Amino acid sequence: MNNNLFDEFDSVSSKQWKQKIQFDLKGADYNNTLIWKTNEDIDVKPFYHADDFDKRPNISNTKATQWKICQSIFVADIKKSNLKAIDIIERGADSIKFIIHSDDISIKNLIEHINLEKTILFFELQFLSEGYVKQILKLVPDAKIHLDIIGQLSKTGNWFKSLNDDFKSFECIIKNTNSFSVNGSLYQNAGANMVQQLAYALAHANEYLNVLEKTENKLQSLNVIFNVSVGTNYFFEIAKLRALRKLWKVLASEYKVNTDCHIIVTPTKRNKTLYDYNTNMLRTTTECMSTILGGANTIMNLPYDSIYHKSNEFGERIARNQLLVLKHESYFDKVNNPSDGAYYIESITNQLSEKALEVFKDIESNGGFLSQLKAGTVQRKIKESASAEQQQFDNGEEVLLGSNKHPNTNDKMKNELELYPFVKTNSRKTLIEPIIEKRLSEQLEQKRLKDEN
């Protein structure tokens, strides 16, 4: 029996494939007919081949078999939040993210009866307090603290207190946590393209590394958490997460810090719709699938009704069950690094990495991320990208089913709104222009709501 069956066939080169395609096009131009360009200025070809690579791609070190299901809880009532967390864990979640707005929240009562050995707890703090962080770590030694002072500046336009006070507290907190987090979701939800998302997240992290390098903190074992959002560009989102790890490894190596990072992913809000809202479940399902294949550590799904409903058991249960189905019925936790070796994904990963690195270098050569935020450069570039994507949506080139394609005209939403689903503007003084998250379908939805009258 011949164990090398394919040795009997001649290999087909990339050039031969292209010649065959060109012949089948019957005179049509190959580049104009079959190659299309993305918003990241990447040319997408009709086929990819081993000839595109000088050497075999490296094997990823992520473990798709180990991704965790997470659910967030905004802590307004300690007792209710505690009971909710226990219920969520019993229903299949591996981890909980508590969003805490005040230092009068009792951590001891909040985590009561939660099995800390089996459950990973994240704490997102919306304030600065070294003492509170110490209190968390005393009760939950393995807690993962989300505290992003640059993220606070980017989102609100102001520091928690001031630049000096925030960084002073940040340095002290790092001594206790040996970690920091980067809110990269903000850039995606505001309309940045993938190259910008990667470059800004990297430059954002680099500002922290610049500060920590001058301190006595032990950086070799530093744990970095990236919060990322993904959209429905399936293969590109897989490549984006892979590119983020690749870029972080390059940056971390320069500082001689831990080259691994923890990536938490949430589906984007940008493509979620108010009308025909059940399509949001389809969007989040494919987004979570690409997240898993991209190598995320933790996935926190977005309920289909989150943009217009208050937190509710049904929407959250559906969101959690989507992940449970992917893990236990679709077997998305059985194979490590399933996207390794796919020429298309490897090619996109490399191109996103290279383009993001160019933008990152440009940011650093012009004073760094904080300097670019202060000058309004980051905000302007995100606006330009968001505006281009918005134009594509308005023209019908970017399709959201149920909104700008096949809308259900009988769908009425005015009486369903528990939350205001559009951008809110408040006049207040800020140090810099904040980066504003905005959904693509907002203007269209506002018109439809007005017409319901």
Side-chain angles (χ1 to χ4, degrees):
M1 180 178 176
N2 184 4
N3 292 323
N4 299 307
L5 179 62
F6 290 99
D7 291 345
E8 299 180 14
F9 298 90
D10 294 331
S11 61
V12 181
S13 69
S14 176
K15 183 178 180 180
Q16 288 172 300
W17 273 117
K18 188 172 180 179
Q19 288 173 340
K20 172 60 176 171
I21 293 171
Q22 189 69 62
F23 175 80
D24 289 342
L25 286 173
K26 298 179 180 179
D29 185 85
Y30 172 87
N31 292 324
N32 293 335
T33 306
L34 297 180
I35 293 179
W36 58 276
K37 192 178 289 292
T38 71
N39 290 344
E40 293 77 20
D41 198 33
I42 291 175
D43 290 331
V44 180
K45 302 186 297 184
F47 75 98
Y48 289 80
H49 195 280
D51 292 351
D52 297 328
F53 301 89
D54 296 327
K55 60 179 181 179
R56 185 171 296 177
N58 294 325
I59 297 173
S60 302
N61 61 355
T62 55
K63 302 293 183 184
T65 56
Q66 297 177 8
W67 62 276
K68 304 295 183 184
I69 297 172
C70 183
Q71 188 168 323
S72 65
I73 299 174
F74 182 85
V75 183
D77 182 292
I78 299 174
K79 183 66 174 177
K80 289 181 180 177
S81 297
N82 170 256
L83 293 174
K84 183 176 181 178
I86 293 170
D87 180 63
I88 289 169
I89 294 165
E90 289 177 352
R91 291 169 178 256
D94 304 302
S95 53
I96 302 292
K97 181 167 87 168
F98 290 114
I99 302 172
I100 300 177
H101 65 93
S102 169
D103 60 2
D104 62 2
I105 300 294
S106 168
I107 297 299
K108 182 179 180 181
N109 294 336
L110 185 62
I111 65 170
E112 190 175 13
H113 303 307
I114 294 177
N115 188 334
L116 301 181
E117 293 182 1
K118 294 183 178 180
T119 310
I120 301 171
L121 296 184
F122 298 87
F123 294 87
E124 179 181 317
L125 305 185
Q126 298 182 335
F127 58 92
L128 272 179
S129 172
E130 301 160 39
Y132 197 77
V133 170
K134 289 180 180 178
Q135 180 186 339
I136 293 174
L137 294 174
K138 183 178 180 180
L139 294 169
V140 191
D142 295 327
K144 297 185 182 295
I145 310 294
H146 287 230
L147 189 58
D148 184 2
I149 57 176
I150 297 176
Q152 166 75 7
L153 175 69
S154 300
K155 187 170 185 176
T156 67
N158 289 315
W159 298 102
F160 284 106
K161 298 175 183 176
S162 68
L163 185 151
N164 290 333
D165 287 343
D166 280 20
F167 270 99
K168 185 178 179 180
S169 295
F170 172 77
E171 291 174 31
C172 294
I173 289 170
I174 293 295
K175 288 181 180 178
N176 294 296
T177 63
N178 200 34
S179 69
F180 65 79
S181 65
V182 171
N183 180 16
S185 291
L186 175 64
Y187 312 126
Q188 201 281 346
N189 284 312
N193 64 42
M194 291 189 193
V195 169
Q196 292 171 331
Q197 293 168 43
L198 290 167
Y200 296 158
L202 200 66
H204 186 150
N206 192 50
E207 289 289 347
Y208 290 141
L209 292 175
N210 278 328
V211 171
L212 295 175
E213 190 180 34
K214 301 169 186 175
T215 69
E216 297 178 357
N217 289 290
K218 297 178 180 178
L219 301 183
Q220 291 81 4
S221 58
L222 185 69
N223 297 304
V224 177
I225 301 171
F226 286 98
N227 295 275
V228 182
S229 285
V230 299
T232 48
N233 194 342
Y234 193 75
F235 293 106
F236 268 72
E237 293 294 357
I238 295 171
K240 183 179 79 177
L241 297 184
R242 290 161 55 86
L244 177 57
R245 287 196 185 278
K246 188 174 181 179
L247 290 166
W248 171 249
K249 187 174 182 179
V250 172
L251 181 63
S253 297
E254 290 296 315
Y255 287 91
K256 296 180 172 57
V257 304
N258 181 13
T259 57
D260 287 333
C261 61
H262 190 104
I263 298 180
I264 301 178
V265 183
T266 306
T268 183
K269 301 172 189 172
R270 189 159 172 77
N271 64 5
K272 302 305 177 287
T273 56
L274 182 60
Y275 288 91
D276 208 357
Y277 48 76
N278 287 322
T279 58
N280 290 332
M281 278 188 274
L282 301 176
R283 295 179 184 121
T284 54
T285 298
T286 61
E287 287 161 358
C288 289
M289 288 165 63
S290 61
T291 293
I292 298 164
L293 299 179
N297 301 96
T298 302
I299 304 172
M300 195 161 55
N301 198 11
L302 192 70
Y304 73 98
D305 58 350
S306 61
I307 62 173
Y308 68 93
H309 266 171
K310 293 178 182 178
S311 175
N312 66 91
E313 198 276 335
F314 181 77
E316 292 177 350
R317 177 165 60 86
I318 293 296
R320 186 173 59 250
N321 285 352
Q322 287 174 262
L323 293 175
L324 289 169
V325 168
L326 287 175
K327 177 172 275 195
H328 299 296
E329 295 185 31
S330 302
Y331 305 112
F332 267 66
D333 66 337
K334 300 302 180 188
V335 179
N336 281 325
N337 312 317
S339 55
D340 275 5
Y343 298 141
Y344 178 39
I345 295 174
E346 296 285 2
S347 177
I348 303 169
T349 300
N350 291 340
Q351 291 181 75
L352 286 175
S353 300
E354 290 165 4
K355 288 181 178 293
L357 194 57
E358 288 177 13
V359 176
F360 170 78
K361 289 178 178 178
D362 181 69
I363 292 170
E364 294 306 309
S365 64
N366 285 285
F369 191 66
L370 284 176
S371 175
Q372 295 279 281
L373 276 176
K374 185 177 179 181
T377 305
V378 172
Q379 296 92 321
R380 175 175 56 81
K381 289 185 179 296
I382 291 177
K383 279 183 179 179
E384 289 172 356
S385 176
S387 178
E389 188 182 20
Q390 186 68 57
Q391 190 66 49
Q392 290 170 345
F393 174 81
D394 294 343
N395 293 340
E397 300 166 28
E398 177 83 15
V399 173
L400 292 181
L401 287 175
S403 292
N404 66 341
K405 189 80 169 179
H406 305 308
N408 178 4
T409 55
N410 296 320
D411 199 2
K412 307 296 182 184
M413 288 299 299
K414 188 173 182 180
N415 296 325
E416 297 290 329
L417 304 185
E418 295 178 351
L419 300 172
Y420 186 71
F422 310 116
V423 172
K424 296 179 182 178
T425 55
N426 297 311
S427 297
R428 57 188 174 84
K429 187 176 180 180
T430 59
L431 293 172
I432 66 167
E433 178 187 353
I435 296 173
I436 306 297
E437 298 179 351
K438 185 179 180 181
R439 294 181 299 107
L440 284 168
S441 57
E442 287 196 15
Q443 188 173 350
L444 184 152
E445 291 168 352
Q446 286 174 313
K447 184 178 182 305
R448 286 188 64 174
L449 282 172
K450 185 177 180 181
D451 291 344
E452 283 186 27
N453 294 328

